[in-house]
Amino acid sequence: MFYREAGQFKTNYAADMAVFPILQDKIGIALILTLALVVIPLAGNAFFLSVVMIPFLIFALASIGLNLLTGYTGLLSLGTAGFMGVGAFACYKLTTIFPGVNIIVWILTSGLFAAAVGVFFGLPSLRIKGFYLAVATLAAQFFLQWCFIRIPWLYNYNVSGAIEVPTRTLFGIPVTGPNASPEMRYYVVLGIVILLTWVASNLVHGRIGRSWMAVRDMDIAAELMGIKLLPTKLLAFAVSSFYCGVAGALMVFLWYGGAEPEVFSINQSFLILFMVIIGGLGSLTGSFFGAALIYILPIVLRGAPSLVGLNIGAATVEHLTFMIVGALIIFFLIVEPHGLARLWQTGKQKLRVWPFPY
Amino acid sequence: MRAPDMDAGVTAGDVLLAVENVSLRFGGVKAITDVSFDIRKGEIRAIIGPNGAGKTSMLNVINGFYHPQDGRITFKGRTRSKMRPYVAASQGIARTFQNVALFKGMTTLDNIMAGRTLKMRRGFFWQMLRHGPAMAEEIEHRKVVEEIIDFLEIEAIRKVPVGRLPYGLQKRVELGRALAMEPELLLLDEPMAGMNLEEKEDMCRFILDVNSQFGTTIALIEHDMGVVMDLSDRVVVLEYGRKIADGVPDEVKSNQAVIDAYLGVPH
Ligand SMILES: Nc1ncnc2c1ncn2[C@@H]1O[C@H](COP(=O)(O)OP(=O)(O)OP(=O)(O)O)[C@@H](O)[C@H]1O
Ligand SMILES: [Mg+2]
């Protein structure tokens, strides 16, 4: 198949403003959706769904959240895990207080709680930028994690100090808790991730996305064009934290099935920041690439030796995995500091004009 | 692109903006000292002066980025002790910058579209869907932006991230972004600095066309005397933050204080 736009003339602005203006891109998206919606659930076994796909989608969602803030609006945040935790604990409290309401409603609502907390910790962003803002969000991270440990009300005074996910159903089929099937959990996660990715794409391609990027690229000029800095930045914090909050709720309810506050530690924040940077700041596709590289690749590497019949000790495999992933990250950053998304873009551009590059 | 609506109170030839006794200090540095002048509706007003004279600072005072310690600013009949950037923008003041201040990571199209932000009304809900009213609005503004792109002859670079454009074109895109605001008063800070002769001629043509076709009032900072004399209706001259002359180009050219300032007579 040729990746070409020749012969595809755009006759109106709506067509030109489409997120995927080229036919081949549309086909690509359709293929990916079919793969995700039909092929993977049919072909994949329970292990593949629960250990690879569900976590990958959840990480991609959290990366999109952080990318909206850091990649699109230029506000560096280390509080991602904290905001995810707010989502998870909010969802837990909501579903234990109002067990009758559908869990999906609570998962999405918990994002609103994270958004409110995000806005609060985003307030300093009017005055401080860059590393100083990162330090302020770090304070948020530590404060929130402290709350998750020290406020027993949040985990319903469980002796374990952890969230214990109850069984909740959708149309009579369990989606959370020990009886939920991997297929069901996968479909719920996938549905939410597709929906929120579509919304994020709409936001960044319109007025709001342009305001965010304007603030990121040249805040003085943005302000003199009538873009109010504080509301724009706070909106970025709100939307970003909403995504992180939903990702956090999904993580606990549809992946782990229970969680200690330790899950929402600073390490998790860094992991998602890596995904965003490797994938590409300011790219939604990049968020998926980043999540794949950082989460899926190590799994593949760990599984590879036994697949090809090599007999290496588990510890050695673990060390090798770390080294290979680390080396790859550095390699990609040297080849393309703007992340995998840019590499993908450049590749597509080359394909478009291939074989005559001039 | 429509000509901006004529404000009820201000018709061509009336004072659109008046600056009275403005003084601005940064710590001990006196950037502007007791300067008064006005800009009339429909004219091209040049602000000239040696380096560090306070020209850029004056534009920053006018659109509210700097707040003067003393003085008053009257725009469209409303007197204020200081402007605010948001008020200036929404009341119809747009500007370009001495050192291009474009949104580097965004395309030409998105930069100019960003100039329409204040005119876009659809809220968060519709933006999330990007269908129906939000899309209709987006298309409506895209049409205006395409007219600006045609006007500035930058069709070919529509989808190029502006960070990759040569300097001359960046200045042109920046003018486009300011025009997208459909301003009543356009402030241009050295729009021709660093350009070659051909680019300068193009830019002069655009400035004159903006002024005559859309009736936009323009305040222009420029070092090239030939350009200033050709383009402007009236000139104000600053030196060390003070106004030393004000009048039509011929008057200013023969003013002794101005000649001294430019030839560097010791004080
Ligand atoms: N933000 C600031 N902080 C401190 N001093 C400033 C600031 N902005 C301007 N100044 C000072 O104010 C004076 C006037 O500067 P301004 O930039 O307005 O000059 P200008 O006339 O635009 O000069 P040029 O032709 O070089 O652009 C200078 O002495 C400058 O150092
Ligand atoms: Mg200047």
PDB file of all heavy atoms in Angstrom, chain A residues 250-280:
ATOM      1  N   LEU A 250      -8.781   3.334  37.163  1.00  0.00           N
ATOM      2  CA  LEU A 250      -8.740   2.129  36.330  1.00  0.00           C
ATOM      3  C   LEU A 250      -7.644   1.189  36.808  1.00  0.00           C
ATOM      4  O   LEU A 250      -7.817  -0.031  36.873  1.00  0.00           O
ATOM      5  CB  LEU A 250      -8.487   2.504  34.862  1.00  0.00           C
ATOM      6  CG  LEU A 250      -9.622   3.191  34.118  1.00  0.00           C
ATOM      7  CD1 LEU A 250      -9.170   3.577  32.713  1.00  0.00           C
ATOM      8  CD2 LEU A 250     -10.846   2.286  34.046  1.00  0.00           C
ATOM      9  N   MET A 251      -6.515   1.791  37.163  1.00  0.00           N
ATOM     10  CA  MET A 251      -5.366   0.990  37.577  1.00  0.00           C
ATOM     11  C   MET A 251      -5.740   0.102  38.761  1.00  0.00           C
ATOM     12  O   MET A 251      -5.464  -1.093  38.779  1.00  0.00           O
ATOM     13  CB  MET A 251      -4.217   1.934  37.936  1.00  0.00           C
ATOM     14  CG  MET A 251      -2.958   1.250  38.392  1.00  0.00           C
ATOM     15  SD  MET A 251      -1.638   2.463  38.572  1.00  0.00           S
ATOM     16  CE  MET A 251      -0.837   2.298  37.000  1.00  0.00           C
ATOM     17  N   VAL A 252      -6.387   0.705  39.750  1.00  0.00           N
ATOM     18  CA  VAL A 252      -6.715  -0.060  40.952  1.00  0.00           C
ATOM     19  C   VAL A 252      -7.909  -0.980  40.717  1.00  0.00           C
ATOM     20  O   VAL A 252      -7.900  -2.142  41.123  1.00  0.00           O
ATOM     21  CB  VAL A 252      -6.987   0.902  42.126  1.00  0.00           C
ATOM     22  CG1 VAL A 252      -7.510   0.133  43.324  1.00  0.00           C
ATOM     23  CG2 VAL A 252      -5.719   1.638  42.476  1.00  0.00           C
ATOM     24  N   PHE A 253      -8.927  -0.481  40.039  1.00  0.00           N
ATOM     25  CA  PHE A 253     -10.169  -1.259  39.941  1.00  0.00           C
ATOM     26  C   PHE A 253     -10.135  -2.309  38.835  1.00  0.00           C
ATOM     27  O   PHE A 253     -10.753  -3.358  38.966  1.00  0.00           O
ATOM     28  CB  PHE A 253     -11.367  -0.312  39.737  1.00  0.00           C
ATOM     29  CG  PHE A 253     -11.855   0.257  41.026  1.00  0.00           C
ATOM     30  CD1 PHE A 253     -11.132   1.233  41.687  1.00  0.00           C
ATOM     31  CD2 PHE A 253     -13.016  -0.219  41.619  1.00  0.00           C
ATOM     32  CE1 PHE A 253     -11.549   1.736  42.897  1.00  0.00           C
ATOM     33  CE2 PHE A 253     -13.452   0.288  42.827  1.00  0.00           C
ATOM     34  CZ  PHE A 253     -12.711   1.265  43.474  1.00  0.00           C
ATOM     35  N   LEU A 254      -9.445  -2.040  37.749  1.00  0.00           N
ATOM     36  CA  LEU A 254      -9.519  -2.973  36.620  1.00  0.00           C
ATOM     37  C   LEU A 254      -8.199  -3.663  36.305  1.00  0.00           C
ATOM     38  O   LEU A 254      -8.145  -4.545  35.469  1.00  0.00           O
ATOM     39  CB  LEU A 254     -10.043  -2.239  35.389  1.00  0.00           C
ATOM     40  CG  LEU A 254     -11.512  -1.861  35.549  1.00  0.00           C
ATOM     41  CD1 LEU A 254     -11.845  -0.595  34.842  1.00  0.00           C
ATOM     42  CD2 LEU A 254     -12.402  -3.003  35.101  1.00  0.00           C
ATOM     43  N   TRP A 255      -7.131  -3.214  36.960  1.00  0.00           N
ATOM     44  CA  TRP A 255      -5.866  -3.909  36.729  1.00  0.00           C
ATOM     45  C   TRP A 255      -5.442  -4.635  38.008  1.00  0.00           C
ATOM     46  O   TRP A 255      -5.488  -5.860  38.083  1.00  0.00           O
ATOM     47  CB  TRP A 255      -4.808  -2.921  36.242  1.00  0.00           C
ATOM     48  CG  TRP A 255      -3.418  -3.475  36.136  1.00  0.00           C
ATOM     49  CD1 TRP A 255      -3.057  -4.801  36.132  1.00  0.00           C
ATOM     50  CD2 TRP A 255      -2.204  -2.742  36.001  1.00  0.00           C
ATOM     51  NE1 TRP A 255      -1.701  -4.931  36.007  1.00  0.00           N
ATOM     52  CE2 TRP A 255      -1.156  -3.693  35.910  1.00  0.00           C
ATOM     53  CE3 TRP A 255      -1.900  -1.376  35.925  1.00  0.00           C
ATOM     54  CZ2 TRP A 255       0.183  -3.306  35.782  1.00  0.00           C
ATOM     55  CZ3 TRP A 255      -0.579  -1.001  35.784  1.00  0.00           C
ATOM     56  CH2 TRP A 255       0.452  -1.960  35.719  1.00  0.00           C
ATOM     57  N   TYR A 256      -5.041  -3.872  39.044  1.00  0.00           N
ATOM     58  CA  TYR A 256      -4.518  -4.487  40.260  1.00  0.00           C
ATOM     59  C   TYR A 256      -5.592  -5.239  41.045  1.00  0.00           C
ATOM     60  O   TYR A 256      -5.296  -6.247  41.667  1.00  0.00           O
ATOM     61  CB  TYR A 256      -3.925  -3.424  41.182  1.00  0.00           C
ATOM     62  CG  TYR A 256      -2.605  -2.854  40.733  1.00  0.00           C
ATOM     63  CD1 TYR A 256      -2.043  -1.758  41.395  1.00  0.00           C
ATOM     64  CD2 TYR A 256      -1.907  -3.407  39.672  1.00  0.00           C
ATOM     65  CE1 TYR A 256      -0.827  -1.224  40.995  1.00  0.00           C
ATOM     66  CE2 TYR A 256      -0.703  -2.883  39.265  1.00  0.00           C
ATOM     67  CZ  TYR A 256      -0.169  -1.786  39.930  1.00  0.00           C
ATOM     68  OH  TYR A 256       1.022  -1.262  39.540  1.00  0.00           O
ATOM     69  N   GLY A 257      -6.811  -4.678  41.079  1.00  0.00           N
ATOM     70  CA  GLY A 257      -7.860  -5.266  41.899  1.00  0.00           C
ATOM     71  C   GLY A 257      -7.679  -4.976  43.376  1.00  0.00           C
ATOM     72  O   GLY A 257      -8.313  -5.593  44.229  1.00  0.00           O
ATOM     73  N   GLY A 258      -6.832  -4.031  43.689  1.00  0.00           N
ATOM     74  CA  GLY A 258      -6.574  -3.671  45.085  1.00  0.00           C
ATOM     75  C   GLY A 258      -5.249  -2.946  45.093  1.00  0.00           C
ATOM     76  O   GLY A 258      -4.433  -3.173  44.203  1.00  0.00           O
ATOM     77  N   ALA A 259      -5.045  -2.019  46.040  1.00  0.00           N
ATOM     78  CA  ALA A 259      -3.779  -1.302  45.969  1.00  0.00           C
ATOM     79  C   ALA A 259      -3.399  -0.684  47.297  1.00  0.00           C
ATOM     80  O   ALA A 259      -4.248  -0.244  48.073  1.00  0.00           O
ATOM     81  CB  ALA A 259      -3.854  -0.211  44.916  1.00  0.00           C
ATOM     82  N   GLU A 260      -2.101  -0.659  47.536  1.00  0.00           N
ATOM     83  CA  GLU A 260      -1.557   0.064  48.680  1.00  0.00           C
ATOM     84  C   GLU A 260      -1.150   1.453  48.200  1.00  0.00           C
ATOM     85  O   GLU A 260      -0.906   1.647  47.016  1.00  0.00           O
ATOM     86  CB  GLU A 260      -0.347  -0.684  49.219  1.00  0.00           C
ATOM     87  CG  GLU A 260      -0.738  -2.015  49.824  1.00  0.00           C
ATOM     88  CD  GLU A 260       0.469  -2.892  50.086  1.00  0.00           C
ATOM     89  OE1 GLU A 260       1.602  -2.384  49.937  1.00  0.00           O
ATOM     90  OE2 GLU A 260       0.261  -4.059  50.430  1.00  0.00           O
ATOM     91  N   PRO A 261      -1.034   2.380  49.149  1.00  0.00           N
ATOM     92  CA  PRO A 261      -0.654   3.748  48.763  1.00  0.00           C
ATOM     93  C   PRO A 261       0.682   3.777  48.015  1.00  0.00           C
ATOM     94  O   PRO A 261       0.929   4.680  47.214  1.00  0.00           O
ATOM     95  CB  PRO A 261      -0.526   4.468  50.106  1.00  0.00           C
ATOM     96  CG  PRO A 261      -1.343   3.670  51.052  1.00  0.00           C
ATOM     97  CD  PRO A 261      -1.309   2.263  50.578  1.00  0.00           C
ATOM     98  N   GLU A 262       1.510   2.764  48.261  1.00  0.00           N
ATOM     99  CA  GLU A 262       2.834   2.680  47.651  1.00  0.00           C
ATOM    100  C   GLU A 262       2.753   2.750  46.111  1.00  0.00           C
ATOM    101  O   GLU A 262       3.679   3.230  45.447  1.00  0.00           O
ATOM    102  CB  GLU A 262       3.464   1.351  48.098  1.00  0.00           C
ATOM    103  CG  GLU A 262       4.960   1.283  48.084  1.00  0.00           C
ATOM    104  CD  GLU A 262       5.659   2.576  48.446  1.00  0.00           C
ATOM    105  OE1 GLU A 262       5.298   3.223  49.471  1.00  0.00           O
ATOM    106  OE2 GLU A 262       6.568   2.958  47.687  1.00  0.00           O
ATOM    107  N   VAL A 263       1.620   2.286  45.558  1.00  0.00           N
ATOM    108  CA  VAL A 263       1.431   2.303  44.102  1.00  0.00           C
ATOM    109  C   VAL A 263       1.535   3.721  43.552  1.00  0.00           C
ATOM    110  O   VAL A 263       1.968   3.937  42.422  1.00  0.00           O
ATOM    111  CB  VAL A 263       0.043   1.714  43.762  1.00  0.00           C
ATOM    112  CG1 VAL A 263      -0.275   1.885  42.295  1.00  0.00           C
ATOM    113  CG2 VAL A 263      -0.012   0.262  44.161  1.00  0.00           C
ATOM    114  N   PHE A 264       1.126   4.690  44.377  1.00  0.00           N
ATOM    115  CA  PHE A 264       1.090   6.068  43.893  1.00  0.00           C
ATOM    116  C   PHE A 264       2.291   6.863  44.391  1.00  0.00           C
ATOM    117  O   PHE A 264       2.182   8.014  44.774  1.00  0.00           O
ATOM    118  CB  PHE A 264      -0.231   6.723  44.288  1.00  0.00           C
ATOM    119  CG  PHE A 264      -1.404   5.952  43.762  1.00  0.00           C
ATOM    120  CD1 PHE A 264      -2.223   5.225  44.609  1.00  0.00           C
ATOM    121  CD2 PHE A 264      -1.650   5.910  42.397  1.00  0.00           C
ATOM    122  CE1 PHE A 264      -3.282   4.495  44.106  1.00  0.00           C
ATOM    123  CE2 PHE A 264      -2.705   5.168  41.884  1.00  0.00           C
ATOM    124  CZ  PHE A 264      -3.520   4.458  42.741  1.00  0.00           C
ATOM    125  N   SER A 265       3.439   6.226  44.377  1.00  0.00           N
ATOM    126  CA  SER A 265       4.648   6.888  44.862  1.00  0.00           C
ATOM    127  C   SER A 265       5.291   7.690  43.728  1.00  0.00           C
ATOM    128  O   SER A 265       4.873   7.609  42.570  1.00  0.00           O
ATOM    129  CB  SER A 265       5.630   5.848  45.379  1.00  0.00           C
ATOM    130  OG  SER A 265       6.148   5.141  44.282  1.00  0.00           O
ATOM    131  N   ILE A 266       6.319   8.411  44.082  1.00  0.00           N
ATOM    132  CA  ILE A 266       7.030   9.260  43.124  1.00  0.00           C
ATOM    133  C   ILE A 266       7.579   8.446  41.948  1.00  0.00           C
ATOM    134  O   ILE A 266       7.671   8.940  40.834  1.00  0.00           O
ATOM    135  CB  ILE A 266       8.154  10.038  43.862  1.00  0.00           C
ATOM    136  CG1 ILE A 266       8.939  10.940  42.918  1.00  0.00           C
ATOM    137  CG2 ILE A 266       9.117   9.102  44.570  1.00  0.00           C
ATOM    138  CD1 ILE A 266       8.239  12.202  42.592  1.00  0.00           C
ATOM    139  N   ASN A 267       7.899   7.167  42.201  1.00  0.00           N
ATOM    140  CA  ASN A 267       8.413   6.327  41.102  1.00  0.00           C
ATOM    141  C   ASN A 267       7.428   6.241  39.954  1.00  0.00           C
ATOM    142  O   ASN A 267       7.808   6.275  38.785  1.00  0.00           O
ATOM    143  CB  ASN A 267       8.695   4.904  41.605  1.00  0.00           C
ATOM    144  CG  ASN A 267       9.872   4.895  42.544  1.00  0.00           C
ATOM    145  OD1 ASN A 267      10.602   5.879  42.620  1.00  0.00           O
ATOM    146  ND2 ASN A 267      10.041   3.810  43.264  1.00  0.00           N
ATOM    147  N   GLN A 268       6.150   6.106  40.320  1.00  0.00           N
ATOM    148  CA  GLN A 268       5.112   6.023  39.295  1.00  0.00           C
ATOM    149  C   GLN A 268       5.080   7.330  38.488  1.00  0.00           C
ATOM    150  O   GLN A 268       4.945   7.317  37.273  1.00  0.00           O
ATOM    151  CB  GLN A 268       3.767   5.786  39.986  1.00  0.00           C
ATOM    152  CG  GLN A 268       2.663   5.385  39.083  1.00  0.00           C
ATOM    153  CD  GLN A 268       2.731   3.913  38.727  1.00  0.00           C
ATOM    154  OE1 GLN A 268       3.431   3.531  37.786  1.00  0.00           O
ATOM    155  NE2 GLN A 268       2.033   3.070  39.475  1.00  0.00           N
ATOM    156  N   SER A 269       5.221   8.464  39.187  1.00  0.00           N
ATOM    157  CA  SER A 269       5.238   9.765  38.494  1.00  0.00           C
ATOM    158  C   SER A 269       6.368   9.811  37.479  1.00  0.00           C
ATOM    159  O   SER A 269       6.188  10.250  36.342  1.00  0.00           O
ATOM    160  CB  SER A 269       5.434  10.903  39.495  1.00  0.00           C
ATOM    161  OG  SER A 269       4.333  11.002  40.345  1.00  0.00           O
ATOM    162  N   PHE A 270       7.551   9.351  37.920  1.00  0.00           N
ATOM    163  CA  PHE A 270       8.704   9.379  37.021  1.00  0.00           C
ATOM    164  C   PHE A 270       8.492   8.457  35.830  1.00  0.00           C
ATOM    165  O   PHE A 270       8.818   8.798  34.695  1.00  0.00           O
ATOM    166  CB  PHE A 270       9.983   8.997  37.770  1.00  0.00           C
ATOM    167  CG  PHE A 270      10.624  10.164  38.439  1.00  0.00           C
ATOM    168  CD1 PHE A 270      10.768  10.218  39.814  1.00  0.00           C
ATOM    169  CD2 PHE A 270      11.085  11.242  37.683  1.00  0.00           C
ATOM    170  CE1 PHE A 270      11.343  11.311  40.428  1.00  0.00           C
ATOM    171  CE2 PHE A 270      11.671  12.331  38.299  1.00  0.00           C
ATOM    172  CZ  PHE A 270      11.797  12.369  39.667  1.00  0.00           C
ATOM    173  N   LEU A 271       7.919   7.284  36.106  1.00  0.00           N
ATOM    174  CA  LEU A 271       7.686   6.321  35.031  1.00  0.00           C
ATOM    175  C   LEU A 271       6.832   6.952  33.932  1.00  0.00           C
ATOM    176  O   LEU A 271       7.127   6.842  32.736  1.00  0.00           O
ATOM    177  CB  LEU A 271       6.987   5.088  35.607  1.00  0.00           C
ATOM    178  CG  LEU A 271       6.942   3.884  34.685  1.00  0.00           C
ATOM    179  CD1 LEU A 271       8.329   3.293  34.541  1.00  0.00           C
ATOM    180  CD2 LEU A 271       5.965   2.849  35.213  1.00  0.00           C
ATOM    181  N   ILE A 272       5.783   7.647  34.354  1.00  0.00           N
ATOM    182  CA  ILE A 272       4.879   8.229  33.358  1.00  0.00           C
ATOM    183  C   ILE A 272       5.542   9.423  32.659  1.00  0.00           C
ATOM    184  O   ILE A 272       5.368   9.628  31.461  1.00  0.00           O
ATOM    185  CB  ILE A 272       3.530   8.573  34.010  1.00  0.00           C
ATOM    186  CG1 ILE A 272       2.826   7.252  34.289  1.00  0.00           C
ATOM    187  CG2 ILE A 272       2.657   9.441  33.130  1.00  0.00           C
ATOM    188  CD1 ILE A 272       1.821   7.283  35.357  1.00  0.00           C
ATOM    189  N   LEU A 273       6.350  10.164  33.410  1.00  0.00           N
ATOM    190  CA  LEU A 273       7.104  11.248  32.772  1.00  0.00           C
ATOM    191  C   LEU A 273       8.037  10.689  31.696  1.00  0.00           C
ATOM    192  O   LEU A 273       8.152  11.245  30.602  1.00  0.00           O
ATOM    193  CB  LEU A 273       7.887  12.031  33.830  1.00  0.00           C
ATOM    194  CG  LEU A 273       8.642  13.250  33.318  1.00  0.00           C
ATOM    195  CD1 LEU A 273       7.681  14.280  32.741  1.00  0.00           C
ATOM    196  CD2 LEU A 273       9.467  13.891  34.427  1.00  0.00           C
ATOM    197  N   PHE A 274       8.690   9.556  31.997  1.00  0.00           N
ATOM    198  CA  PHE A 274       9.556   8.919  30.988  1.00  0.00           C
ATOM    199  C   PHE A 274       8.754   8.572  29.751  1.00  0.00           C
ATOM    200  O   PHE A 274       9.187   8.809  28.625  1.00  0.00           O
ATOM    201  CB  PHE A 274      10.182   7.623  31.534  1.00  0.00           C
ATOM    202  CG  PHE A 274      11.279   7.857  32.524  1.00  0.00           C
ATOM    203  CD1 PHE A 274      11.593   6.888  33.471  1.00  0.00           C
ATOM    204  CD2 PHE A 274      12.010   9.035  32.512  1.00  0.00           C
ATOM    205  CE1 PHE A 274      12.604   7.106  34.394  1.00  0.00           C
ATOM    206  CE2 PHE A 274      13.017   9.256  33.428  1.00  0.00           C
ATOM    207  CZ  PHE A 274      13.315   8.287  34.376  1.00  0.00           C
ATOM    208  N   MET A 275       7.583   7.978  29.978  1.00  0.00           N
ATOM    209  CA  MET A 275       6.758   7.579  28.830  1.00  0.00           C
ATOM    210  C   MET A 275       6.447   8.781  27.950  1.00  0.00           C
ATOM    211  O   MET A 275       6.510   8.707  26.720  1.00  0.00           O
ATOM    212  CB  MET A 275       5.447   6.947  29.312  1.00  0.00           C
ATOM    213  CG  MET A 275       5.641   5.604  29.971  1.00  0.00           C
ATOM    214  SD  MET A 275       4.089   4.962  30.589  1.00  0.00           S
ATOM    215  CE  MET A 275       4.660   3.415  31.307  1.00  0.00           C
ATOM    216  N   VAL A 276       6.126   9.895  28.601  1.00  0.00           N
ATOM    217  CA  VAL A 276       5.770  11.097  27.844  1.00  0.00           C
ATOM    218  C   VAL A 276       6.973  11.619  27.064  1.00  0.00           C
ATOM    219  O   VAL A 276       6.866  11.989  25.892  1.00  0.00           O
ATOM    220  CB  VAL A 276       5.217  12.175  28.804  1.00  0.00           C
ATOM    221  CG1 VAL A 276       5.082  13.509  28.100  1.00  0.00           C
ATOM    222  CG2 VAL A 276       3.876  11.737  29.345  1.00  0.00           C
ATOM    223  N   ILE A 277       8.127  11.629  27.703  1.00  0.00           N
ATOM    224  CA  ILE A 277       9.311  12.183  27.042  1.00  0.00           C
ATOM    225  C   ILE A 277       9.764  11.276  25.900  1.00  0.00           C
ATOM    226  O   ILE A 277      10.039  11.737  24.793  1.00  0.00           O
ATOM    227  CB  ILE A 277      10.443  12.409  28.058  1.00  0.00           C
ATOM    228  CG1 ILE A 277      10.042  13.532  29.020  1.00  0.00           C
ATOM    229  CG2 ILE A 277      11.750  12.754  27.351  1.00  0.00           C
ATOM    230  CD1 ILE A 277      11.008  13.753  30.151  1.00  0.00           C
ATOM    231  N   ILE A 278       9.822   9.970  26.171  1.00  0.00           N
ATOM    232  CA  ILE A 278      10.255   9.041  25.124  1.00  0.00           C
ATOM    233  C   ILE A 278       9.242   9.020  23.981  1.00  0.00           C
ATOM    234  O   ILE A 278       9.609   8.991  22.806  1.00  0.00           O
ATOM    235  CB  ILE A 278      10.374   7.603  25.691  1.00  0.00           C
ATOM    236  CG1 ILE A 278      11.405   7.562  26.812  1.00  0.00           C
ATOM    237  CG2 ILE A 278      10.730   6.615  24.604  1.00  0.00           C
ATOM    238  CD1 ILE A 278      12.802   7.693  26.352  1.00  0.00           C
ATOM    239  N   GLY A 279       7.979   9.053  24.321  1.00  0.00           N
ATOM    240  CA  GLY A 279       6.943   9.005  23.286  1.00  0.00           C
ATOM    241  C   GLY A 279       6.918  10.275  22.469  1.00  0.00           C
ATOM    242  O   GLY A 279       6.773  10.242  21.252  1.00  0.00           O
ATOM    243  N   GLY A 280       7.084  11.383  23.129  1.00  0.00           N
ATOM    244  CA  GLY A 280       7.083  12.655  22.411  1.00  0.00           C
ATOM    245  C   GLY A 280       6.214  13.659  23.132  1.00  0.00           C
ATOM    246  O   GLY A 280       5.016  13.462  23.259  1.00  0.00           O
TER     247      GLY A 280
END
